Amino acid sequence: ILQKGLPRIRLISPDRGNWINNHLYDLIAKHWVDACDVFHFVSSVGLYSARKAKKLGAVIICDERAEYPDFQRGILKTEYEQLGLRFDPPGLLYDRKIKAEYEIADYIIVPSSYAKRTFVNAGFD
């Protein structure tokens, strides 16, 4: 309802709906995190849970399904400018949360060597 319904009736933007959904999911999920060897999560929904797991001694693995966000936005911005369109990138609301997830992670899984290069270029080893 929060993620899809409120944007549909124009009370909030779709980005704000995603932001609310991702934060609430993570805040609720962290209550079920127990001591474990490895904590693996999909980016944008695991920061609070990962912090708790790390405190409990787990190795943290963030599963990212795209290239580094700043790299992706750079490509989109160039394309929009070339087409004479206004660039209003999605995902800026939870950009800090996603980047904090990368920082807390011991490992980041990416979908390709191309995506890996974008993270390496952003300073990740």
Side-chain angles (χ1 to χ4, degrees):
I1 291 171
L2 295 174
Q3 183 180 20
K4 301 290 184 188
L6 295 179
R8 188 166 284 155
I9 60 173
R10 300 178 197 258
L11 288 178
I12 60 174
S13 70
D15 249 11
R16 179 65 66 184
N18 286 333
W19 183 89
I20 291 169
N21 181 70
N22 292 353
H23 280 275
L24 285 177
Y25 176 86
D26 194 9
L27 285 168
I28 293 167
K30 80 174 187 175
H31 295 289
W32 283 279
V33 174
D34 292 324
C36 55
D37 296 326
V38 176
F39 185 79
H40 176 196
F41 66 96
V42 175
S43 71
S44 83
V45 294
L47 178 62
Y48 312 127
S49 300
R51 283 179 178 160
K52 182 175 179 184
K54 191 153 194 114
K55 281 183 187 176
L56 296 172
V59 171
I60 307 300
I61 300 173
C62 177
D63 192 338
E64 176 53 71
R65 311 262 166 107
E67 60 274 282
Y68 190 73
D70 294 346
F71 180 83
Q72 184 181 71
R73 269 192 294 280
I75 290 173
L76 290 172
K77 184 175 189 277
T78 300
E79 292 295 319
Y80 272 69
E81 287 171 355
Q82 288 176 355
L83 295 169
L85 300 172
R86 184 175 149 257
F87 181 57
D88 188 18
L92 290 177
L93 286 173
Y94 47 91
D95 192 64
R96 272 197 326 228
K97 184 175 189 263
I98 290 170
K99 289 177 180 175
E101 290 172 344
Y102 300 155
E103 293 298 329
I104 197 172
D106 297 298
Y107 300 96
I108 301 171
I109 295 173
V110 293
S112 66
S113 57
Y114 159 76
K116 177 183 174 183
R117 283 191 305 276
T118 69
F119 276 84
V120 170
N121 290 340
F124 292 87
D125 65 18

